[in-house]
Amino acid sequence: MALIAPRVTAGLPADDARNLARSLEDSNDITVFVDGTVHRLPTQARDAVVDLLARLSRGETVTVSSVEEMLTTSQAAELAGISHTYLRNMTDRGEIPVEYRGTHRRIRQAAIMAWLETQKKRQQAEASAGADESTDSHG
């Protein structure tokens, strides 16, 4: 679950910026068409889009990026389906990167998702190797 790199969009040309600013003056209702289908945005998404459009309408250059979610050890262990102790031991061994906020450990959600993906691939490889061995011994 890698984060998408930030995207920088240059400010709009003056005419486009003025037209957009005029459109936003009395409304914050945004209609989005995806493949010809109308979608009404949830409040948080609408607010983000209106903010983005308002910045573009002022001729500002805009950067859009993600904020990576930091998890407590309890949240990370629950997401990974493992015990807190096992997770803490893995962070102590450096198997999963950890950051400290004071004395509290915080783990990036992306790190847990990467670890889960690694586990899944390892299990698939072991299952595949086991299947190959059983066909070799019977063939």
Side-chain angles (χ1 to χ4, degrees):
M1 187 173 138
L3 292 180
I4 298 170
R7 179 182 174 148
V8 177
T9 302
L12 296 175
D15 286 345
D16 290 340
R18 271 193 301 278
N19 290 338
L20 182 55
R22 236 186 330 269
S23 298
L24 291 171
E25 274 177 9
D26 298 321
S27 177
N28 67 352
D29 183 33
I30 303 295
T31 302
V32 177
F33 291 88
V34 179
D35 290 333
T37 303
V38 176
H39 294 275
R40 182 172 272 312
L41 295 176
T43 302
Q44 289 176 317
R46 186 202 63 223
D47 291 348
V49 170
V50 168
D51 183 58
L52 171 71
L53 294 174
R55 291 168 190 268
L56 288 170
S57 76
R58 293 189 297 268
E60 297 176 19
T61 297
V62 177
T63 301
V64 177
S65 66
S66 303
V67 175
E68 192 165 16
E69 186 172 356
M70 299 299 284
L71 305 174
T72 64
T73 53
S74 297
Q75 293 168 324
E78 184 176 335
L79 179 62
I82 57 178
S83 73
H84 303 85
T85 304
Y86 186 64
L87 177 69
R88 281 192 299 276
N89 289 340
M90 285 196 306
T91 63
D92 290 344
R93 291 190 302 266
E95 294 173 31
I96 293 183
V98 64
E99 295 179 23
Y100 286 89
R101 302 287 191 271
T103 58
H104 300 282
R105 298 172 202 232
R106 293 293 180 264
I107 299 164
R108 295 181 188 277
Q109 181 176 342
I112 294 297
M113 300 308 287
W115 179 80
L116 286 170
E117 186 63 28
T118 300
Q119 295 301 107
K120 180 178 158 188
K121 287 179 181 173
R122 195 188 84 223
Q123 289 171 349
Q124 289 171 345
E126 288 172 357
S128 176
D132 289 346
E133 288 176 13
S134 66
T135 51
D136 288 346
S137 63
H138 292 70

